[in-house]
Amino acid sequence: HLRRFGARSLGAQLFSQRGMRREAFEIACANLHPQGLTWARRSVFHVQHQPLLVQEVFLPACRLGSL
């Protein structure tokens, strides 16, 4: 069903669903790179009685010239 999203973001699609329920965030921090700590969070959305785990990892800023 993800193909039907078109140009809409996952967040826009999830929050437009009637009856959508979101569980509490789980937050983690890890030392994965020399620039410092990396933060991540995840939560489970329930849409049409189906669970969907969404996880976000917040990477450090990068310079465009380094790509």
Side-chain angles (χ1 to χ4, degrees):
H1 301 308
L2 294 177
R3 293 181 189 180
R4 293 187 215 162
F5 285 11
R8 290 184 72 189
S9 69
L10 176 61
Q13 182 69 23
L14 287 172
F15 288 105
S16 70
Q17 297 292 313
R18 292 183 64 179
M20 183 276 294
R21 185 173 58 88
R22 184 180 202 174
E23 294 183 14
F25 282 109
E26 293 181 25
I27 299 173
C29 181
N31 193 4
L32 301 177
H33 54 83
Q35 290 90 353
L37 300 175
T38 300
W39 288 91
R41 68 181 183 183
R42 70 181 185 180
S43 62
V44 177
F45 290 83
H46 295 272
V47 181
Q48 298 177 359
H49 307 291
Q50 297 293 315
L52 175 66
L53 175 65
V54 175
Q55 180 170 315
E56 301 167 281
V57 177
F58 302 97
L59 301 175
C62 69
R63 296 182 189 166
L64 291 178
S66 66
L67 297 177

